[in-house]
Amino acid sequence: MSDPSERAVQLRELISFHNEAYFVHDEPAIADAEYDVLIRELRELEANHPEIATTDSVSNRVGARVSETFSSVQHAAAMLSLDNAFDSSELRSWCERMSKATQRSSDELVFSVEPKIDGLAMSITYENGQLTRAATRGDGRVGEEVTANVRTIANVPHTLSSLTGTGRLDVRGEVFLAKADFEAMNSRQRAEGAKEFANPRNAAAGSLRQKDPTMTAQRPLSFLAYQLEIIDGYRNLASLTQHRETLALIGEMGFFIAPETRSEVGPDAMIARCDWFESHRHDLLYEIDGVVVKI
C-alpha cells in the first residue's frame, strides 16, 4: 500500500485535473461515478489520517476555478455539493443518521426523489420578479456571469408574473439538452460536415459558454429548476415548510420541474423509487447521472 501522504497528493492532483476538464473546458475525461470514487478515497484518507488533511484540499471544494471568458460573480448563497451513496445499504445508513438527527422514526421520514440531470448547474437571480443575473456554479461560491446567454433559453421566464411581494431570490437548476434535441443538433452537424458533439452535457455547457449570445440562441437549450433560495424580502413565502410546496411554487412561476419527482415515505419506498430511475433512465427525455434524494 502506498504512503497515505503520497497517495493524497496523487489524488488531489488527479481530482484537480478532472475538475479543470469538467468545469472549465467542458471536456470530462472520466465518468461521474469514477470521479466520485476518487473523491471518496481522498476524503477517507484525510479522515483516517488527520495529519495529512489540508484546509484547501479539493475534497472540500465544489467544481473548479471559473474560466476567464466571462466575468466572475459571487453567489449570494453557496451552491453546495451533494453527498454520495453508491448502494441501498449506504442509503439506509444515511436514513438512520437522519432519523437520529430529526428524532423521528426513519419510517416517518418523507423523501423527495428526483432525477439528477446531467447538465450545467445554474443560479438565476430575480429582483422584484425580474431576471437580473444568471451564473454558473463555478467553485460553488464564485461562478461565471452568463445572463445574456441564459436569457436566450426559451423556457426561462424573464418575469415572474405570478409571484407576489418584493425582494430577491435565486432559482437554481440545470441547463440541459433533451435527448431528442441533442440528436437533432448532431444530425445538423453531420449534414454540414461539422464535428459532432460527444454528449448532451458537453454540448449544453459549450452552447451556454458562447461569447456571442446569438450563437447560444441557436441551440435548443432547456432549464430544469429544483431549488429556491430567498436572498431577501418575500416574507410572504416564509410559510413554505416542505420541499414539495417549494417545487409547486417554482412550477407556478413558469419553470420546468422534473415530472418524475415523487415524495416517498420511509426508506423502502424511497429506495424503490431510486431503483425505478435505474430501470427507466433510458426512457426519460434527458440524460441523468444518478438520483437526488432530499428530506
Side-chain angles (χ1 to χ4, degrees):
M1 178 184 233
S2 61
D3 177 79
S5 179
E6 293 179 1
R7 179 56 179 162
V9 171
Q10 293 173 352
L11 286 168
R12 289 174 190 137
E13 292 177 350
L14 192 57
I15 292 167
S16 293
F17 168 81
H18 289 302
N19 280 346
E20 186 88 0
Y22 186 97
F23 291 102
V24 178
H25 303 296
D26 302 320
E27 296 179 353
I30 58 174
D32 285 357
E34 297 175 83
Y35 176 85
D36 290 341
V37 169
L38 295 176
I39 286 287
R40 169 170 288 200
E41 182 184 353
L42 178 57
R43 286 176 175 167
E44 289 180 350
L45 265 180
E46 292 174 338
N48 294 331
H49 302 276
E51 71 278 4
I52 68 172
T54 61
T55 56
D56 62 346
S57 174
V58 290
S59 63
N60 300 322
R61 299 200 300 270
V62 179
R65 66 174 179 85
V66 299
S67 72
E68 298 176 357
T69 305
F70 299 94
S71 301
S72 299
V73 294
Q74 184 165 349
H75 297 299
M79 299 183 72
L80 303 177
S81 61
L82 299 169
D83 286 335
N84 288 314
F86 290 95
D87 53 41
S88 59
S89 64
E90 292 190 3
L91 274 174
R92 291 187 185 280
S93 296
W94 173 70
C95 289
E96 288 304 314
R97 294 196 299 273
M98 294 304 98
S99 175
K100 293 177 182 178
T102 60
Q103 297 184 331
R104 294 184 181 182
S105 165
S106 60
D107 291 330
E108 297 175 341
L109 296 177
V110 180
F111 302 93
S112 180
V113 187
E114 311 171 18
K116 186 175 181 292
I117 308 300
D118 191 12
L120 187 71
M122 187 65 53
S123 182
I124 306 176
T125 301
Y126 291 82
E127 296 184 26
N128 299 328
Q130 300 297 316
L131 193 163
T132 57
R133 193 181 76 182
T136 64
R137 179 186 342 207
D139 65 3
R141 298 189 180 278
V142 176
E144 301 159 302
E145 197 268 316
V146 288
T147 308
N149 297 37
V150 168
R151 285 183 182 275
T152 70
I153 300 176
N155 72 340
V156 171
H158 292 190
T159 302
L160 305 181
S161 55
S162 66
L163 189 64
T164 60
T166 59
R168 183 163 58 112
L169 56 80
D170 287 350
V171 177
R172 292 178 172 177
E174 298 280 327
V175 173
F176 71 98
L177 271 166
K179 292 176 181 176
D181 291 331
F182 173 70
E183 292 300 331
M185 279 182 58
N186 267 348
S187 292
R188 288 195 296 271
Q189 293 292 101
R190 286 193 295 271
E192 296 170 2
K195 181 181 178 181
E196 293 184 39
F197 297 99
N199 56 63
R201 194 270 171 193
N202 284 16
S207 298
L208 190 72
R209 287 188 168 121
Q210 295 291 318
K211 295 190 72 173
D212 182 358
T214 62
M215 295 296 295
T216 302
Q218 297 174 26
R219 308 286 175 81
L221 296 174
S222 298
F223 179 72
L224 182 146
Y226 51 64
Q227 183 182 351
L228 180 67
E229 287 281 349
I230 308 298
I231 307 304
D232 54 55
Y234 290 115
R235 295 180 181 179
N236 57 311
L237 301 184
S239 61
L240 293 173
T241 59
Q242 306 231 357
H243 180 58
R244 61 174 175 262
E245 295 175 339
T246 302
L247 289 180
L249 175 64
I250 296 172
E252 292 170 5
M253 291 177 183
F255 291 94
F256 174 57
I257 307 297
E260 302 85 11
T261 296
R262 295 285 187 275
S263 291
E264 304 290 355
V265 181
D268 290 342
M270 178 266 286
I271 290 171
R273 188 60 182 173
C274 291
D275 291 341
W276 181 91
F277 275 104
E278 179 64 26
S279 300
H280 292 81
R281 63 185 305 165
H282 299 299
D283 303 328
L284 305 181
L285 65 88
Y286 30 59
E287 295 285 355
I288 65 172
D289 56 2
V291 183
V292 178
V293 180
K294 307 170 185 174
I295 291 183

